[in-house]
């Protein structure tokens, strides 16, 4: 009996061992096959930069860590409260912020940003800060994570509403804007810069990891040279660069010396669009070839606009109209952009304008005549997928532009519009919250800006390290960044 029990036990053990062996073998084969499939997948080179579904955050450590510099609220939301107490903006007829019933409700945590189109087009500063102030448990869709210890931060965000500060001064008394005496905007600029530059965080990094939002071309106009090392969020480089006359023989604009801004460290951000979005499913037949509504006379590079105006004014299928930033002009622009195949985008005082982003939201194919334009989120999207780029020389040839646009087939125009519809969300700031505090659209403009800043980090960190090792008294010269 004992022998029988032993044999039974051995047999049972043997059976168990064989079963375990086959189970292990089966698992091993399955794992090997899975690994074979994984590592033998073809490497895809078909990344579509126009797709807004690329935004994913699989690893918390890959997010941008942002610390908010401790500025008094008088430099941000306090400015908004002051704005809403001001008289109407004399620069525009029928200021929408001072119409009856336009005052904001006192129930909001913070005042809303102005609807005044001259100011609203620069509202990036409002939505970016609003994202950072949103409760962390509601910010799962944001590429930035807020940290409360500056030593943990990748970048330090300076919450100064610089554009609002500048525009308030311009609306009150533009005659003193370029002066320092009697200029409230300059006083605020000076106070902010002194607070920031005297901080330990600025001294440790030389300011290179600080972020300022300067969407208005004249924002922080008096102190730009002092904050030049920082990461600047700007709508373009117009008004910032100057010619390196020695390198270009004093008669060429082919070489630009950036003494304050550079694509290496700064981020081009979109204007806030002023017209409502038209979805592709809502698109109707378009009967106008080319549409433009805006000012004819501009300064600097805008001189090209006047020449284009004279060339195109009487061309069949082309609408060229003077436009003003008021309710009537807005309705006319909505109608014109939604019923035209192409929307003209010539340079103005600066290489770009809000008009480009209104065209995108209207699914009107932008025709960009601006040789020195810089565009938001390049590398993430390819503007040639939905825009037409024309050199100034070609555009100023009589009949050339109309003939060129007429030669673009209806099928090509449909493809442009389809591509444009995919990227429309990338240029939207509004989070749908009246006071700006709340979850942002994961595929919206604020997240694209955070991603662009994140791309700059290796170069910024390298610059900080290089600056720290230089001997006392040795300065690093400004370098030309030529594109």
């Amino acid at each position: 009996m004992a022998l029988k029990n032993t044999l039974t036990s051995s047999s049972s053990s043997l059976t168990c061992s064989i079963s375990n062996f086959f189970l292990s073998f089966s698992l091993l084969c399955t794992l090997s096959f899975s690994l074979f499939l994984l590592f033998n997948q073809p490497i895809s080179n078909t990344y579509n930069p126009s797709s807004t579904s690329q935004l994913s955050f699989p690893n918390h450590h890959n997010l941008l860590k942002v610390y908010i510099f401790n500025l008094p609220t008088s430099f941000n939301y306090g400015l908004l409260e002051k704005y809403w107490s001001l008289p109407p903006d004399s620069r525009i007829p029928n200021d929408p912020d001072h119409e009856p019933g336009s005052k904001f409700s006192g129930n909001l945590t913070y005042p809303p940003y102005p609807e005044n189109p001259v100011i609203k087009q620069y509202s990036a500063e409002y939505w970016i800060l609003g994202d950072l102030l949103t409760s962390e448990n509601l910010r799962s869709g944001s590429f930035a994570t807020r940290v409360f210890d500056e030593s943990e931060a990748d970048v330090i965000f300076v919450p100064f509403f610089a554009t609002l500060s500048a525009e308030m001064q311009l609306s009150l008394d533009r005659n003193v804007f370029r002066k320092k005496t009697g200029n409230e905007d300059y006083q605020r600029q000076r106070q902010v810069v002194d607070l920031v530059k005297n901080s330990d965080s600025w001294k440790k990094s030389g300011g290179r990891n600080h972020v300022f939002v300067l969407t208005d071309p004249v924002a922080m106009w008096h102190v730009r040279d002092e904050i030049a090392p920082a990461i600047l969020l700007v709508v373009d480089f117009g008004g910032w660069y100057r010619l390196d006359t020695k390198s270009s023989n004093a008669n060429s604009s082919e070489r630009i010396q950036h003494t304050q801004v550079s694509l290496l460290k700064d981020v081009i951000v979109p204007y806030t669009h002023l017209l409502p979005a038209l979805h592709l499913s809502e698109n109707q037949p378009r009967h106008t070839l080319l549409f433009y509504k805006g000012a004819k006379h501009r300064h600097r590079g805008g001189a090209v606009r006047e020449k284009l105006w004279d060339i195109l004014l009487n061309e069949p299928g082309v609408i060229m109209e003077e436009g003003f930033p008021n309710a009537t002009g807005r309705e006319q622009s909505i109608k014109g952009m939604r019923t035209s195949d192409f929307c003209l985008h010539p340079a103005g005082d600066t290489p770009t304008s809000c008009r480009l982003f209104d065209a995108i939201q209207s699914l009107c194919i932008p025709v960009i005549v601006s040789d020195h334009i810089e565009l938001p989120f390049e590398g993430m999207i390819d503007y040639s997928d939905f825009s037409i780029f024309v050199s100034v020389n070609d555009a100023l040839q009589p009949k050339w532009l109309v003939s060129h646009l007429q030669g673009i087939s209806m099928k090509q125009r449909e493809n442009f519009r389809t591509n444009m519809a995919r990227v429309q969300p990338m240029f939207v700031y509004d989070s749908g919250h009246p006071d700006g505090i709340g979850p942002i659209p994961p595929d919206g403009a604020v997240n694209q800006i955070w991603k662009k800043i994140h791309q700059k980090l290796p170069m910024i960190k390298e610059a900080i390290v290089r600056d720290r090792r230089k001997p006392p008294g040795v300065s690093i010269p400004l370098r030309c960044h030529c594109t």
Side-chain angles (χ1 to χ4, degrees), residues 72-83 111 161 164 168:
T73 56
S74 59
F75 294 109
N76 39 73
Y77 294 112
L79 280 177
L80 274 173
E81 293 177 357
K82 183 173 182 178
Y83 170 83
F161 288 176
L164 184 62
M168 285 169 59

Side-chain angles (χ1 to χ4, degrees), residues 299-314:
H299 304 293
R300 296 185 290 275
V304 172
R305 184 182 295 186
E306 296 186 37
K307 298 176 182 178
L308 272 174
W309 189 290
D310 294 336
I311 290 173
L312 296 170
L313 184 59
N314 295 315

Side-chain angles (χ1 to χ4, degrees), residues 396-438:
L396 293 182
Q397 295 179 34
K399 307 290 183 180
W400 187 95
L401 184 57
V402 170
S403 176
H404 179 65
L405 296 180
Q406 288 173 336
I408 298 174
S409 69
M410 290 300 173
K411 180 63 176 177
Q412 287 175 298
R413 299 179 196 187
E414 290 175 9
N415 289 338
F416 277 128
R417 245 182 292 281
T418 300
N419 292 335
M420 205 182 323
R422 294 196 187 104
V423 302
Q424 278 179 317
M426 297 181 69
F427 303 106
V428 175
Y429 285 103
D430 199 327
S431 64
H433 303 276
D435 59 1
I437 311 296

Side-chain angles (χ1 to χ4, degrees), residues 16 27 44 51 106 144 185 221 227 234 266 291 317 325 332 339 357 370:
C16 182
L27 290 172
S44 174
S51 173
D185 176 44
W221 188 79
I227 61 170
V234 299
D266 301 318
F291 175 79
Q332 292 172 344
T339 57
F357 305 98
S370 182

